Amino acid sequence: MSPEAIPIKIAVYGKGGIGKSTISANTSAALAEKGHRVLQIGCDPKHDSTRLLLGGKIPMTALSYIKTQLPKERRAEEIVFRGYGNVACVEAGGPEPGVGCAGRGVITTFELLEDLGVSSDLFDLTLYDVLGDVVCGGFAVPIRNEYADAVYIVTSGEYLSLYAANNILKGILNFTERGPRIAGIIHNARGDPDEEERVRRFAGAVRLPVVIRVPRSEIFARAERTGCTLIEGHPDSEEAEVFRTLAVHAEDIMGGGALLHHALPLSDEDLEEIVLQRNDSRTIHRFSFCQGEEKDSRKAVSVSVKNKKPLIGCAFAGAVSVTAQVSDAVTIMHCPRSCTLMMYEKLLDTRQHSTTRFGSSYQQGLMERLISTDMRDEDFIFGGEKKLQETLDSVIRDGCKLIFVVTACPPGIIGDDIGKVISTVIQGNPDVRIIPVKVDGNLVGDFVQGVMDGYGAVAGLIDDKTEKTNSPSVNLIAEKWLAENEERSYQAVRDLLGRLGIGVNCRFLINTDSSSLKNFNKAGLVLPADKDDTVESIREMLTSRSSLPFLDLPLPTGFFETKQWLLEVSRVFGMEEKAKEIIAEEEARYQEQIRKLRHDMEGKTILISTYPKSLDWVLDIASDLGMKILKIGLTYSPFSESFRSRYADAFPIVHSYSIEMRSEDISELKPDLVLYTYPTLRRSDEARSAHIPYAPGFGFQVAIERAKKWNLLMKLPVSEGWKKDGEGII
């Protein structure tokens, strides 16, 4: 190599079966013949790229090696082999056909070589032989900026080969963030009519040179049979000379003399017109199906998925949050360790804060019933089905009879057959029920979509033939289990119902066992915790399992809502008189609290910045206290589309309310109190503020408790001293 030359990395891409391995091996041999130090890495699962350099032998692949050797025992010498001309040979390999992800295997191979000290800096030229039918995932790694400096594209004149070449150009265009990197086209001739003209037309259209033409020759078959390259076995042949020409071109790239080119792929339509010279104006028509009875799948869809809005959160997390609430079931999370950590933090932190702040009873055993398959890198490559089956077997040996299996992204991407694994396990354990929830991370949608799918799976436990009992009871649905005050709120609802003589049959779904779920239909009424899209989806989902009536009111917050709610519930069970007695008792308590607070709060002004969600409980208590609402600003929310209020005409309501608009209103209107959902006030906003909780709690006295906090806040200075710390310091 000349003193001016620098080590480079070249990728050889092309359609499967197009001859990349033969061309790569012969090029490496030709470069080695000229005295260059060459490393060739085969990135095709067939692991035959370096065979002709190794006397026809298939070496140990990197992926087979990591499957059998612990990290601390791995050595570079075990996977790097000496080929013809001292070419260093490595094969990535791949998983068994039909499982795992070979693309991920390419990434792992590169990481392994780096860990073992096999650096491209040790060689004059590193050559990657890469499958190019689909330029995605791991197979795209060699064309990313940190890897290949130049790319050769191998093609014949066949349309599908040129189609693959065009796809490779698209991939290079997507991954290239710096200058041109295409070295040119290698035409591997097949002897078809008009082949050369097709390749010429394609090359001209994408503005790439045809660097060499490899002729169709029987000499390649002879070299194949003896397990060698033409450079070694037939060095004086005209065909061997073709690869020496390619080696010179690669040397020019090393020395900076060869011109590299930008990727300029064609559209599919232009490709057909240029390569096939077909300009077909015919249209294709949709297939018409008989319009018979529409199938009712009862598939609940989140509002973000339904309205094609930005997806918020991970469906895997949503589904696990639901199935984890079944207290006598185990949820197997088929996922990596990072996903497991996310779920532990999401669920356990909520429970711990709930216990600390509100004195709720801590859910014992939550961690014990969340089990992870702890997928690792090798599972992404070779498939995670074995690990899932081992985890299922272990859980069953521990005595569990009800199991949910929730999938994260990797199993969905690599195609793990969850149904097959479950069927195999159930054959040996017919008394065990295993319910799959295939959300595949966020592939099916967002967090709320995962919640919907989790509810759908759990709803299958409901016995649709159970009849309600004579004793009055209700089911609660769609409680906000991630709200820290949820258990306290539930106790308030349960106590209020208990004063009517009504019990809670099933909580669908918080800390509920399978027996309660099975007996869902023993209740006489279903009480939704909220009135939103999620509740409507659950309601629709349950229609196939239950015919129980739903109350058309959410669980109530504040005196007015609780009064209306209690009357509606009592009418269903014929208990109106008892409800009126309770309301009279609570109203006396409420009015006494209002009298105490009104003295301090009457005439105070409020500015509200909130999601477009009903907050009449806030407006009720403000009205009863004689406070004045200056304005309601509605900020963006992915979960709500309309603002519902009995006070809609009582004061200004501004839509698309921004932070800047709020700051301007604070400056101009000077409210005594700013109530907000999100975001918090700016440091420069001169106002007292209080958060409006998304889940404020339930019952007659909840709003009074919130108003007491407002009263205390309004007795504090508008601007705390710490906000001015450092002012005047230069």
Side-chain angles (χ1 to χ4, degrees):
M1 187 167 68
S2 66
E4 297 81 15
I6 57 173
I8 66 166
K9 295 169 283 187
I10 291 178
V12 178
Y13 270 86
K15 179 180 177 294
I18 201 61
K20 296 184 305 302
S21 296
T22 299
I23 290 169
S24 297
N26 277 282
T27 303
S28 292
L31 286 162
E33 184 183 59
K34 295 168 73 64
H36 295 296
R37 298 167 299 166
V38 181
L39 167 65
Q40 180 169 323
I41 303 176
C43 303
D44 191 316
K46 296 196 305 294
H47 55 272
D48 60 353
S49 174
T50 60
R51 186 169 56 86
L52 297 180
L53 294 166
L54 295 169
K57 303 297 183 182
I58 301 291
M60 163 73 79
T61 69
L63 297 186
S64 295
Y65 184 65
I66 66 171
K67 197 174 182 180
T68 56
Q69 295 293 323
L70 295 173
K72 64 180 181 180
E73 299 173 350
R74 295 170 186 169
R75 302 288 183 271
E77 295 79 8
E78 300 293 330
I79 58 169
V80 183
F81 297 87
R82 187 187 304 275
Y84 171 78
N86 284 329
V87 174
C89 301
V90 176
E91 291 286 351
E96 292 294 321
V99 297
C101 176
R104 176 62 207 178
V106 174
I107 297 172
T108 300
T109 298
F110 289 175
E111 292 172 348
L112 175 64
L113 291 173
E114 184 177 337
D115 291 343
L116 297 179
V118 183
S119 168
S120 58
D121 294 337
L122 302 175
F123 303 90
D124 301 328
L125 185 141
T126 300
L127 189 149
Y128 305 106
D129 174 10
V130 195
L131 178 69
D133 292 79
V134 182
V135 187
C136 67
F139 295 122
V141 168
I143 60 174
R144 294 177 184 173
N145 288 333
E146 68 269 29
Y147 285 100
D149 301 295
V151 179
Y152 288 108
I153 300 176
V154 182
T155 184
S156 69
E158 298 166 309
Y159 176 74
L160 289 181
S161 179
L162 291 166
Y163 181 89
N166 194 56
N167 262 1
I168 293 163
L169 289 175
K170 291 179 180 178
I172 294 170
L173 183 64
N174 288 335
F175 280 112
T176 298
E177 298 174 0
R178 49 185 171 89
R181 289 196 294 150
I182 313 298
I185 291 174
I186 296 172
H187 177 196
N188 192 19
R190 294 296 179 90
D192 296 335
D194 302 323
E195 179 180 34
E196 295 213 27
E197 182 61 22
R198 286 184 175 181
V199 174
R200 185 195 65 78
R201 290 197 299 268
F202 174 75
V206 297
R207 302 180 190 178
L208 292 176
V210 178
V211 179
I212 61 168
R213 177 184 179 276
V214 181
R216 185 174 180 82
S217 172
E218 194 273 336
I219 197 173
F220 288 101
R222 294 206 305 270
E224 184 88 14
R225 285 193 292 270
T226 56
C228 66
T229 63
L230 299 186
I231 302 299
E232 178 185 2
H234 306 276
D236 299 324
S237 64
E238 294 181 5
E239 292 82 357
E241 201 61 33
V242 172
F243 295 107
R244 294 189 179 100
T245 301
L246 183 58
V248 171
H249 191 269
E251 282 184 316
D252 288 343
I253 297 174
M254 282 189 261
L259 181 66
L260 296 179
H261 305 267
H262 290 283
L264 301 171
L266 305 173
S267 68
D268 290 349
E269 293 77 14
D270 287 345
L271 180 67
E272 280 203 4
E273 183 175 350
I274 290 168
V275 173
L276 300 178
Q277 293 191 317
R278 184 174 72 192
N279 187 4
D280 199 337
S281 60
R282 291 177 298 175
T283 59
I284 58 175
H285 301 279
R286 299 181 187 277
F287 192 89
S288 297
F289 291 90
C290 296
Q291 299 300 314
E293 185 178 348
E294 186 176 348
K295 183 179 179 181
D296 184 3
S297 63
R298 301 294 177 190
K299 170 70 173 179
V301 180
S302 77
V303 65
S304 295
V305 173
K306 180 167 56 181
N307 297 330
K308 298 182 179 179
K309 291 187 175 182
L311 302 181
I312 309 298
C314 168
F316 168 78
V320 172
S321 296
V322 174
T323 60
Q325 303 300 326
V326 184
S327 59
D328 57 345
V330 164
T331 293
I332 292 180
M333 301 176 290
H334 192 28
C335 67
R337 184 175 298 176
S338 56
C339 299
T340 305
L341 176 62
M342 172 186 70
M343 290 314 307
Y344 283 164
E345 288 181 341
K346 180 177 286 291
L347 293 174
L348 294 178
D349 282 1
T350 299
R351 294 299 96 206
Q352 288 171 343
H353 290 151
S354 178
T355 301
T356 302
R357 292 186 59 193
F358 298 101
S360 304
S361 59
Y362 190 76
Q363 285 190 26
Q364 298 294 328
L366 181 60
M367 288 188 68
E368 286 77 5
R369 61 178 187 261
L370 287 177
I371 307 295
S372 174
T373 57
D374 195 16
M375 295 182 73
R376 301 174 186 269
D377 199 44
E378 55 264 35
D379 301 309
F380 305 155
I381 300 167
F382 300 108
E385 294 176 9
K386 180 180 178 183
K387 183 160 281 188
L388 174 59
Q389 182 165 342
E390 290 173 349
T391 307
L392 282 166
D393 290 340
S394 174
V395 167
I396 291 170
R397 283 196 301 271
D398 289 341
C400 186
K401 300 296 183 182
L402 177 60
I403 305 168
F404 294 97
V405 177
V406 185
T407 54
C409 297
I413 293 171
I414 66 178
D416 278 354
D417 191 340
I418 307 302
K420 182 187 75 174
V421 175
I422 291 175
S423 296
T424 300
V425 172
I426 287 178
Q427 284 178 7
N429 303 275
D431 59 333
V432 174
R433 186 167 184 178
I434 305 174
I435 303 173
V437 190
K438 289 192 63 178
V439 289
D440 293 341
N442 58 4
L443 297 186
V444 304
D446 58 354
F447 180 87
V448 178
Q449 184 59 56
V451 168
M452 295 294 97
D453 288 1
Y455 271 123
V458 174
L461 298 175
I462 297 173
D463 185 349
D464 56 3
K465 301 200 172 39
T466 302
E467 297 182 357
K468 67 179 181 180
T469 59
N470 293 326
S471 58
S473 64
V474 298
N475 298 324
L476 302 179
I477 69 165
E479 294 176 79
K480 303 292 190 293
W481 60 81
L482 294 180
E484 295 171 359
N485 64 338
E486 192 57 39
E487 285 304 308
R488 184 184 182 188
S489 299
Y490 166 67
Q491 293 297 332
V493 172
R494 191 181 69 172
D495 292 346
L496 187 56
L497 290 168
R499 291 166 71 180
L500 281 174
I502 298 172
V504 175
N505 175 60
C506 177
R507 298 176 72 185
F508 190 81
L509 187 72
I510 289 185
N511 197 24
T512 305
D513 61 27
S514 58
S515 176
S516 295
L517 292 164
K518 179 181 179 181
N519 294 319
F520 184 90
N521 287 319
K522 286 187 175 181
L525 181 64
V526 177
L527 302 178
D530 208 336
K531 192 172 184 179
D532 56 16
D533 189 82
T534 299
V535 168
E536 290 306 309
S537 296
I538 296 172
R539 180 174 183 167
E540 178 66 20
M541 179 196 309
L542 288 172
T543 56
S544 64
R545 310 294 303 178
S546 174
S547 59
L548 294 180
F550 272 65
L551 191 71
D552 196 31
L553 290 174
L555 295 181
T557 300
F559 182 82
F560 180 85
E561 290 184 7
T562 306
K563 173 182 175 180
Q564 297 301 113
W565 180 85
L566 194 64
L567 286 171
E568 289 297 321
V569 172
S570 67
R571 289 189 186 105
V572 174
F573 293 99
M575 301 175 177
E576 293 95 325
E577 293 305 316
K578 181 61 175 176
K580 290 175 182 177
E581 292 176 11
I582 296 171
I583 291 169
E585 294 172 8
E586 293 294 335
E587 185 167 14
R589 291 177 56 201
Y590 179 77
Q591 293 300 336
E592 177 62 24
Q593 295 294 328
I594 290 292
R595 281 192 293 273
K596 291 179 181 179
L597 289 170
R598 192 177 181 107
H599 178 267
D600 291 334
M601 303 180 74
E602 187 171 13
K604 300 293 186 181
T605 57
I606 300 176
L607 174 67
I608 298 177
S609 171
T610 182
Y611 295 137
K613 177 181 172 65
S614 176
L615 68 159
D616 277 359
W617 66 273
V618 173
L619 306 179
D620 286 336
I621 190 67
S623 175
D624 290 345
L625 290 170
M627 302 178 78
K628 181 182 178 182
I629 306 296
L630 299 173
K631 181 184 291 186
I632 293 182
L634 301 177
T635 60
Y636 168 77
S637 169
F639 304 113
S640 303
E641 295 185 355
S642 60
F643 177 68
R644 306 183 305 272
S645 175
R646 302 190 308 277
Y647 296 85
D649 300 324
F651 27 72
I653 296 176
V654 179
H655 294 267
S656 302
Y657 197 61
S658 65
I659 301 174
E660 292 75 18
M661 294 167 69
R662 184 177 67 185
S663 292
E664 290 175 6
D665 283 340
I666 289 173
S667 178
E668 293 178 8
L669 301 176
K670 294 182 172 40
D672 294 302
L673 183 66
V674 178
L675 300 178
Y676 67 90
T677 51
Y678 179 86
T680 57
L681 270 60
R682 292 169 162 178
R683 183 173 174 177
S684 59
D685 291 332
E686 294 287 331
R688 305 174 186 89
S689 63
H691 180 248
I692 303 174
Y694 194 80
F698 306 125
F700 286 106
Q701 306 301 323
V702 168
I704 286 287
E705 293 174 6
R706 190 63 52 176
K708 289 178 180 179
K709 295 180 180 179
W710 300 345
N711 189 32
L712 291 174
L713 279 170
M714 287 189 290
K715 293 178 180 179
L716 297 174
V718 172
S719 181
E720 295 88 339
W722 66 267
K723 288 186 177 181
K724 297 183 179 180
D725 285 353
E727 287 187 6
I729 298 176
I730 299 177

